[in-house]
Amino acid sequence: MKKVFSRPKSLIDRQTHFCPGCTHGTAHRLVADAIDHFGVQEETIGVSGVGCAVFMYDYFAIDAIEAPHGRAPAVATGIKRVHPKKIVFTYQGDGDLASIGTAETIHTANRGENITIIFINNTVYGMTGGQMAPTTLLGQKTTTTPYGRNFRNDGYPIRMAEMLAPLEGVAYSTRVSMHNAKEVLKAKKAVRRAFQMQIEGMGLTFVELLSACHTNWRVKPLEGQKRVEEELIPYFPLGVFKERKGKDFL
Amino acid sequence: MTEKILLKGNIALAKGAIAAGCRYYFGYPITPQNDIPEYLSAELPKVGGTFIQAESEIASINMVLGASASGVRAMTSSSGPGISLMQEGMSYMAGSELPGLVVNVMRVGPGLGGIAPTQGDYFQATRGGGHGDYFNIVLAPASVQEMFDLAIKAFELSDKYRNPAMILCDAILGQMKEPVVLEETKTVIPPLKPWALTGSKGRKPQFLKTLYLSDGEQEAHNLELKEKYDRLREEDVLFEAKGLDDSEIVIVAFGTVSRIAKTAIQMAKREGIRVGMIRPITIFPFPTEVIRETAKRIPRVLVVEMNTGQMLQDVKLSIESSVKLRFYGRPGGGIPTPEDMLREIRVMFNEEGF
Ligand SMILES: Cc1ncc(C[n+]2csc(CCOP(=O)(O)OP(=O)(O)O)c2C)c(N)n1
Ligand code: SF4
Ligand SMILES: [Mg+2]
């Protein structure tokens, strides 16, 4: 992959604990880029979910807190209500946001909390060793779907960006990918757009990033990117599902 | 002259929270504490505060966690089933050393139970309640005045120790009306919290966390928490002692039960039996020392609770095994009457060796 940007100022210069080639690292850069772009490093408070990205505070040079698994949107709500002028974002995996924290996600979105949610969809529970996630594709083998995900037993992969878009409180809902340089540039724009809309006070902004977990998919890093393109995108289409144009609240 | 006004316990508590400078309330409805959110939903906006009816008690406590992390005094209130859902969040608050007030207007359980008064959540409140090696600061009011006063005290202690505090009371205290003196002239200004997340302007970024993975880190953290709890036991035990000088029997009771015990003590006095009382006000930290010392002089202790014997355990840990200990409890909504207690007092009084 060609170098799309150099290390943003709000990222600490330090080796991460992510598996080499993991796109969590790319997503961190995208968020840090948006923070730098709007010059809000000293105005931003980050909330990490529990998952591979729990150590947000080790990598971002911003104020940050670790929320209980799935509760980041509720924690962010508390923070934003105290500091309505600050930029508040959560960074959550698919187990965190779309399984254990579904209620917090939906109701925070429905209240139109003026925060940004960065959602990493890698179709597995990375941190705990590759178990099925709510986003695991049908037929996908994980450590708890050894015969492949079967809808009769496990239900269907959940599409969060589409699900949240119709909620009145949601200002922006989009799905982007990071599997090649071109898509990373689009993803960068989407994250910036989400932060911009938060700065403008438009409501909840949601960016779903398709991410490869080649370690738990048990493939080589490059094959992981290929799988995103060939298997994930057909089920999780990229695009903008909602984008408010003004503060057109009801 | 300080004016007395007639107030319901739940309202006095809500007023106490506002007097303490709390401007953030997050909660989910449950009987018998709904007066608290209803009152605060009307009053907080008037003082520039925020009230959110959350989607669940899990969300409520995590909003409290987030607001508290941002440097303000924040609270929630609930009852049994809701308090159970908050245990995860309270464990995280204790772990990341965040203050905040949780009010438990107890209802009978287990399960959905009923709304009758009880003291059945004593264990959950005083043993930490969630996972991990931690404690809550727990205050047990026994009057409407104390619902107001201890709300303020709970915020003070919670900030002093950077640890969640709980007010443990029941529907009787929540619903009854009594005259209260409100110290409205004293506006409490919550302390500044240099550890709070405010954006990192003019300082280094800082963070709050509970995850400690490297060697020995978690142990060091837990030992620091222990030091805090030891300091609490040292500096901030609260209790009320009555008639201990010349009594032959000591009752230990907290909250609502201590009030009924006062009537029983009067009745016993008329029969010529002198009974004193120790009423723990903080049930964590527990007034171990005063109970131990008193029982050395008066080795007959009667514990009365609205449960099957929970505080009883703490009293047992406080006294020598030679002390005569008797327990009377009514669980599941049963309220001990003064006559019940007098009967127990008589039994103790007539016991051999008295
Ligand atoms: C209440 C609770 N249940 C379970 C866990 C264990 N756990 C930690 S991370 C995780 C899933 C993480 O997966 P995801 O959110 O998809 O993040 P990823 O690691 O894939 O980025 C689980 C189940 C926990 N920490 N807390
Ligand atoms: S386990 Fe998967 S998600 Fe976690 S760091 Fe490794 S590649 Fe990334
Ligand atoms: Mg995941």
Side-chain angles (χ1 to χ4, degrees):
Chain A
M1 206 195 296
K2 96 171 186 268
K3 199 167 182 184
V4 182
F5 36 56
S6 56
R7 186 179 63 82
K9 195 164 84 29
S10 44
L11 269 196
I12 299 167
D13 190 8
R14 149 183 314 168
Q15 179 108 37
T16 73
H17 71 290
F18 298 122
C19 310
C22 174
T23 34
H24 261 306
T26 315
H28 274 41
R29 282 174 173 263
L30 294 173
V31 173
D33 161 80
I35 293 170
D36 287 1
H37 178 75
F38 295 106
V40 291
Q41 183 180 357
E42 295 183 329
E43 312 294 331
T44 300
I45 302 168
V47 186
S48 62
V50 182
C52 279
V54 66
F55 299 110
M56 171 195 280
Y57 40 80
D58 283 343
Y59 305 133
F60 283 90
I62 58 168
D63 273 13
I65 184 168
E66 187 191 273
H69 193 26
R71 321 296 175 215
V75 172
T77 296
I79 296 172
K80 188 73 181 192
R81 295 300 181 108
V82 175
H83 299 305
K85 295 265 158 59
K86 307 280 176 200
I87 306 307
V88 178
F89 74 94
T90 71
Y91 185 110
Q92 304 171 257
D94 36 15
D96 194 89
L97 178 137
S99 188
I100 196 167
T102 320
E104 287 79 10
T105 303
I106 289 177
H107 286 280
T108 302
N110 196 48
R111 280 191 306 270
E113 294 296 339
N114 190 33
I115 63 165
T116 297
I117 293 182
I118 303 295
F119 172 47
I120 305 296
N121 176 356
N122 59 10
T123 76
V124 281
Y125 283 17
M127 190 190 214
T128 40
Q131 296 84 0
M132 181 183 76
T135 45
T136 294
L137 293 176
L138 290 180
Q140 183 180 336
K141 286 189 180 164
T142 69
T143 53
T144 51
T145 53
Y147 309 109
R149 182 176 189 163
N150 175 348
F151 68 88
R152 289 194 189 283
N153 192 62
D154 312 313
Y156 296 89
I158 195 164
R159 295 184 182 98
M160 288 309 294
E162 288 89 331
M163 200 172 117
L164 293 174
L167 296 178
E168 296 296 345
V170 174
Y172 182 57
S173 182
T174 185
R175 183 181 295 112
V176 290
S177 180
M178 300 179 288
H179 67 275
N180 63 35
K182 199 173 119 230
E183 294 303 326
V184 170
L185 275 175
K186 284 195 207 157
K188 175 167 152 175
K189 280 203 184 109
V191 176
R192 282 189 182 184
R193 179 79 188 123
F195 273 74
Q196 185 190 354
M197 289 176 85
Q198 180 181 167
I199 291 165
E200 290 167 4
M202 292 181 64
L204 187 120
T205 49
F206 183 84
V207 183
E208 174 170 341
L209 294 121
L210 297 183
S211 190
C213 174
H214 55 270
T215 301
N216 288 300
W217 294 355
R218 309 205 193 293
V219 296
K220 295 200 181 78
L222 278 180
E223 283 171 50
Q225 306 310 341
K226 213 169 133 217
R227 176 173 185 256
V228 172
E229 186 170 11
E230 291 173 1
E231 292 178 40
L232 268 64
I233 291 175
Y235 188 89
F236 295 112
L238 307 184
V240 176
F241 303 102
K242 167 97 158 268
E243 187 170 10
R244 268 192 208 285
K245 295 301 173 210
K247 279 195 209 177
D248 50 352
F249 300 113
L250 289 177
Chain B
M1 201 186 79
T2 28
E3 199 194 346
K4 280 194 172 187
I5 57 167
L6 201 62
L7 279 182
K8 231 182 181 184
N10 281 338
I11 304 301
L13 185 138
K15 280 183 180 288
I18 291 181
C22 171
R23 294 293 178 270
Y24 293 85
Y25 176 96
F26 310 96
Y28 186 85
I30 187 168
T31 309
Q33 59 81 53
N34 289 325
D35 312 298
I36 300 173
E38 284 167 9
Y39 178 82
L40 289 173
S41 69
E43 294 306 311
L44 279 176
K46 293 184 195 164
V47 291
T50 294
F51 170 93
I52 299 182
Q53 180 168 323
E55 62 271 27
S56 70
E57 290 85 352
I58 298 179
S60 310
I61 191 69
N62 282 288
M63 290 176 191
V64 171
L65 189 156
S68 171
S70 307
V72 299
R73 286 187 165 168
M75 72 176 289
T76 183
S77 59
S78 187
S79 188
I83 298 291
S84 289
L85 286 183
M86 291 182 190
Q87 296 305 323
E88 178 198 50
M90 292 177 72
S91 163
Y92 275 78
M93 286 174 74
S96 40
E97 298 193 76
L98 287 173
L101 174 63
V102 177
V103 178
N104 181 358
V105 186
M106 288 181 277
R107 51 186 272 161
V108 291
L112 197 49
I115 58 171
T118 177
Q119 296 182 325
D121 297 348
Y122 180 95
F123 279 155
Q124 185 195 47
T126 57
R127 267 58 181 168
H131 60 287
D133 208 348
Y134 77 96
F135 292 100
N136 305 308
I137 300 164
V138 192
L139 298 138
S143 65
V144 173
Q145 182 67 54
E146 277 192 351
M147 292 287 267
F148 179 82
D149 294 342
L150 293 186
I152 300 172
K153 188 76 192 168
F155 276 112
E156 278 171 20
L157 291 177
S158 189
D159 278 340
K160 177 176 173 189
Y161 292 97
R162 287 186 61 183
N163 195 75
M166 180 180 271
I167 296 221
L168 194 71
C169 57
D170 59 50
I172 296 179
L173 284 163
Q175 299 301 324
M176 73 182 181
K177 282 190 172 174
E178 284 182 333
V180 184
V181 180
L182 305 178
E183 288 183 71
E184 274 169 321
T185 42
K186 253 204 280 163
T187 321
V188 182
I189 298 168
L192 284 176
K193 302 174 181 178
W195 47 263
L197 306 182
T198 55
S200 49
K201 200 166 221 101
R203 60 160 167 77
K204 277 195 180 149
Q206 54 199 26
F207 55 82
L208 293 160
K209 67 164 189 170
T210 62
L211 179 66
Y212 296 98
L213 288 180
S214 31
D215 240 6
E217 237 191 336
Q218 182 77 51
E219 184 175 14
H221 177 57
N222 284 41
L223 287 172
E224 268 173 37
L225 294 182
K226 182 190 179 292
E227 257 173 46
K228 218 161 67 166
Y229 303 134
D230 287 345
R231 197 150 57 81
L232 249 164
R233 292 182 180 105
E234 206 53 43
E235 294 174 19
D236 284 294
V237 173
L238 295 170
F239 62 89
E240 182 194 352
K242 263 208 146 102
L244 295 184
D245 290 342
D246 62 347
S247 58
E248 297 147 308
I249 294 173
V250 187
I251 290 188
V252 183
F254 74 96
T256 296
V257 177
S258 69
R259 298 177 58 119
I260 306 169
K262 280 186 184 163
T263 311
I265 289 169
Q266 290 306 315
M267 289 161 79
K269 196 174 172 188
R270 270 179 248 130
E271 294 188 8
I273 313 173
R274 294 186 306 269
V275 183
M277 179 163 72
I278 296 172
R279 172 174 74 91
I281 297 173
T282 51
I283 52 177
F284 185 90
F286 192 71
T288 304
E289 208 160 293
V290 64
I291 293 174
R292 183 194 301 125
E293 293 310 312
T294 305
K296 278 183 190 160
R297 283 191 295 116
I298 314 164
R300 283 172 187 80
V301 177
L302 173 62
V303 176
V304 188
E305 294 179 77
M306 289 196 285
N307 57 45
T308 52
Q310 298 194 12
M311 181 181 67
L312 175 65
Q313 305 275 337
D314 285 333
V315 175
K316 271 187 186 163
L317 289 172
S318 306
I319 58 176
E320 311 284 335
S321 57
S322 59
V323 173
K324 280 221 155 84
L325 180 64
R326 191 172 174 83
F327 173 72
Y328 179 69
R330 302 249 345 238
I335 301 169
T337 62
E339 290 75 21
D340 288 333
M341 293 190 201
L342 181 62
R343 190 190 61 231
E344 298 300 314
I345 290 167
R346 283 193 197 123
V347 173
M348 281 201 106
F349 189 71
N350 294 325
E351 259 170 13
E352 230 183 305
F354 201 88

